[in-house]
């Protein structure tokens, strides 16, 4: 949730439950994606400065470079297996 979480949830504009519903449950139902238990676990207290060079994707373009955001993914589970775990 970094950007959305920082701008909406932390500033009390949107509850975390509503955010999860809007970004996960509603699109899954809308596009007929089965609920197979895939999840991402976030540390909502983590603060990070947006640094495009640390992105895991090839896309590095962002208007938020240098912006402090809250929330960091620490675990991704796909098909019942941990496929990504943040280095601690």
């Amino acid at each position: 949730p970094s950007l959305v979480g920082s701008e909406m949830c932390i500033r009390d504009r949107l509850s975390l439950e509503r955010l999860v519903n809007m970004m996960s449950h509603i699109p899954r139902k809308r596009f007929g994606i089965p609920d197979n238990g895939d999840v991402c676990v976030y540390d909502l207290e983590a603060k990070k400065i947006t640094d495009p060079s640390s992105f895991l994707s090839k896309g590095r373009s962002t208007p938020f470079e240098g912006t402090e955001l809250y929330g960091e993914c620490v675990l991704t589970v796909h098909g019942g297996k941990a496929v990504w775990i943040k280095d601690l």
Side-chain angles (χ1 to χ4, degrees):
S2 275
L3 179 60
V4 176
S6 291
E7 292 303 314
M8 300 301 280
C9 294
I10 292 173
R11 297 175 192 257
D12 291 326
R13 295 181 187 154
L14 188 68
S15 71
L16 181 58
E17 291 81 10
R18 181 81 173 125
L19 174 67
V20 170
N21 193 42
M22 291 173 65
M23 295 189 74
S24 179
H25 301 294
I26 293 173
R28 180 180 55 78
K29 289 178 185 175
R30 167 66 177 90
F31 295 107
I33 300 168
D35 185 1
N36 58 4
D38 292 351
V39 296
C40 293
V41 177
Y42 285 85
D43 174 357
L44 299 177
E45 301 294 320
K47 292 181 189 178
K48 286 192 78 168
I49 302 295
T50 305
D51 176 11
S53 69
S54 71
F55 292 177
L56 297 179
S57 68
K58 291 182 180 180
R60 303 264 191 274
S61 178
T62 177
F64 304 102
E65 183 173 1
T67 303
E68 183 178 66
L69 300 173
Y70 288 86
E72 179 178 24
C73 184
V74 295
L75 171 68
T76 301
V77 177
H78 175 69
K81 296 180 182 178
V83 295
W84 188 82
I85 301 172
K86 178 184 180 274
D87 294 333
L88 300 177

